[in-house]
Amino acid sequence: MSEFTVEAELAGTVWKVEAKVGDALEEEDVIMIMESMKMEIPVLAPETGKLLTIQVAEGDTVREGQVLVTMTASS
Amino acid sequence: MSFKDQLSELANRQKNALAMGGQEKLAKRTEQGYLDARSRVDFLLDQDSFREVGLLAKSNVKADRDCTPADGKVSGFGRIYGRDIGIVSNDLTVKGASSSETNAKKISYIKNTATRSGMPLVFLGESSGARIPDSMGAEAMSQAGTDPQQYCRRRETPWASAILGPCFGSSTWYSCISDFLVMRKGAVLAVSSARVTSLAISETVDSEELGGWRLHADKTGLIDAVADTDGEALALVRKFLSYLPAHSGEAPPVVPLKDWTAPDKEKLLELVPVERAKTYDVRKVIRAIADEDTYFPLKERFGKAAVTALGRIEGQSVGLLATNPMIKGGAMDPDACRKATGFLVMCDSFNIPVVLLTDTPGFLVGVEGEKKGAPAHIMNMMHALQLMSMPKISLILRKSYGQAFLNLGGGRNSDEMAVWTSADVSFMDPGIGASVVYGLNPNDNPEAHAEATEKLRTDTSAYDMAAVFGVQNVIDPRESRSYLCNALKTHKNRKTNGVGRHELANWPTYF
């Protein structure tokens, strides 16, 4: 099973973390919601897999490209 | 030799050519779940429509005459949905479908005939690159490149490619200059193989990393679609071509009334939240506007803040270009602009009118975008939109701010613009504007910031635009489909029967 990271697609603030470590996520499930450009922007699972680690906390400011979580692909 | 003997010889030669690289190699492919070059042709084309040319072609190297059936590239003509096309299918079981002097002539023949006669062209890619040792040495290289138009694209007819195995050399080149490129998972698209690359740079290289589907779907944006199997990839080629005309001199085919159905328009009121801060998936909006089951996304995993898709409205092919608030809030980044530019080029080349659906907080700003040359990508897209001569109908669903407003058809950059009642148009988000214009920080001074935001929020509505004829109409979201359909009819160029000027047809095939 290959491990991969999910990075912030844009700079902003982590507003709400929706998923938990160990969750089995489907492609496009919401992992967390960021606040940027006056919008609540969801961070989505790029593919089906399990959430391994969450590397940011609510309220954190993140840069574009910063690793937010790690996952393992289910296939 | 009597005719009887001659005919027997012909039959024997044909049988040997049809046997491809031999039973053993073919059986191995079947075991792996891959179709062979000829089965692919049969799967792709309408039943029994394949007319092969060059079956008895072989290597020009005499010693290889008996082991190069069809010289590794199956070529000919056939039909898809009743329309004629030209096709080249690489046969990996014959010398790795490597490029040779003879099979280069075959490709050239199919390509030139299809272009001259106005037929789409399909390449089924799976080849190892130049044939070695035939192409080694200065003398051999001097025979290469004798066709000065070999890789020249003027988009006279549509080209579609499927990457169905390892693709290096010419099958990579032809794929990259196609209008549609689908890749089967497990296939590889690269300049040269992992083995050759590893030897050249003295570093172990993994095939997937070098040119796997994830790389091209997510990072390079070279491919338009991904398929799990050969069959699925070939079905996507058929579907893609169904939206396009056979050549640039005609309008795309129209699906008759009995063969399309309208989606449930009531959904449109639920799909888009009225609150500006909330996001949603614009692909659901597109599905609720286009004819059912006609949404055909291109580069869905790349530059995702923009959605580019083919579809139909009342049977008529349309290009749908939308910002997607679910990704980056709908703020287009350089990749989204590159994708949009390529899409406009294709639509302009093949007489497909474009519908632009907008909900965007503006272009994505930030250091990462600037490093990728964001301003030039924004202007490439704008340039393409302004050169495009097909009807452009723009619809603002909710927000449209700044230069992005213009890039998505605002001002006179579309032939007609309508807005939903929820539209909100300005130079930038009022909340950000309050900080910029009045120097107010929402954390330090929330009340003054809120008051200033509210002040900037006035005069940004659909009716403010309509009052100065900045838009042609304000519409009920549920009328979107019928409105767009009528607008497309109004702006169709009757004088040319819907054929455009194609000023983008010679633009690059990658941005």
Side-chain angles (χ1 to χ4, degrees), chain B residues 188-268:
Chain B
V188 182
L189 174 73
V191 174
S192 49
S193 71
R195 181 172 162 264
V196 171
T197 307
S198 296
L199 289 169
I201 63 172
S202 306
E203 188 180 278
T204 309
V205 180
D206 171 71
S207 280
E208 278 290 318
E209 200 185 345
L210 188 69
W213 69 272
R214 278 194 182 87
L215 175 79
H216 293 309
D218 299 355
K219 307 282 187 221
T220 68
L222 260 178
I223 62 173
D224 295 293
V226 179
D228 287 321
T229 62
D230 285 2
E232 197 187 307
L234 297 168
L236 287 171
V237 169
R238 281 178 70 90
K239 190 161 184 193
F240 169 77
L241 289 174
S242 76
Y243 295 93
L244 272 72
H247 55 82
S248 60
E250 65 177 17
V254 178
V255 170
L257 181 66
K258 65 178 175 50
D259 291 334
W260 55 259
T261 47
D264 175 12
K265 63 183 179 183
E266 294 298 322
K267 273 192 202 158
L268 286 167

Side-chain angles (χ1 to χ4, degrees), chain B residues 144-386:
Chain B
T146 49
D147 174 5
Q149 303 285 297
Q150 186 176 5
Y151 297 117
C152 183
R153 227 26 251 289
R154 293 192 178 81
R155 295 185 175 86
E156 296 100 329
T157 76
W159 288 15
S161 284
I163 301 290
L164 302 172
C167 275
F168 312 112
S170 75
S171 66
T172 287
W173 312 143
Y174 283 118
S175 296
C176 290
I177 54 174
S178 291
D179 303 297
F180 175 72
L181 181 46
V182 55
M183 189 166 181
R184 196 244 299 133
K185 287 181 183 175
V188 182
L189 174 73
V191 174
S192 49
S193 71
R195 181 172 162 264
V196 171
T197 307
S198 296
L199 289 169
I201 63 172
S202 306
E203 188 180 278
T204 309
V205 180
D206 171 71
S207 280
E208 278 290 318
E209 200 185 345
L210 188 69
W213 69 272
R214 278 194 182 87
L215 175 79
H216 293 309
D218 299 355
K219 307 282 187 221
T220 68
L222 260 178
I223 62 173
D224 295 293
V226 179
D228 287 321
T229 62
D230 285 2
E232 197 187 307
L234 297 168
L236 287 171
V237 169
R238 281 178 70 90
K239 190 161 184 193
F240 169 77
L241 289 174
S242 76
Y243 295 93
L244 272 72
H247 55 82
S248 60
E250 65 177 17
V254 178
V255 170
L257 181 66
K258 65 178 175 50
D259 291 334
W260 55 259
T261 47
D264 175 12
K265 63 183 179 183
E266 294 298 322
K267 273 192 202 158
L268 286 167
L269 291 182
E270 297 155 21
L271 291 173
V272 179
V274 178
E275 300 89 344
R276 290 179 177 83
K278 301 281 183 202
T279 61
Y280 61 92
D281 189 349
V282 81
R283 292 173 298 181
K284 292 180 183 165
V285 176
I286 295 175
R287 285 177 195 272
I289 290 177
D291 295 354
E292 286 203 307
D293 300 323
T294 65
Y295 170 69
F296 189 80
L298 299 166
K299 303 194 201 299
E300 199 172 24
R301 298 172 63 102
F302 177 76
K304 295 190 289 184
V307 172
T308 50
L310 291 167
R312 290 193 187 88
I313 296 179
E314 294 197 2
Q316 153 87 60
S317 290
V318 287
L320 296 141
L321 171 53
T323 49
N324 194 356
M326 192 174 84
I327 309 293
K328 303 189 182 193
M332 292 174 73
D333 57 7
D335 286 350
C337 292
R338 292 166 61 199
K339 174 163 103 169
T341 304
F343 183 68
L344 291 170
V345 168
M346 185 190 67
C347 290
D348 180 66
S349 303
F350 298 112
N351 311 316
I352 301 172
V354 170
V355 167
L356 303 126
L357 302 175
T358 312
D359 190 342
T360 179
F363 283 109
L364 188 71
V365 289
V367 177
E368 292 306 315
E370 302 294 340
K371 281 182 191 166
K372 291 178 185 166
H377 292 298
I378 291 168
M379 278 302 104
N380 257 359
M381 177 186 172
M382 194 69 207
H383 188 184
L385 187 73
Q386 295 196 332

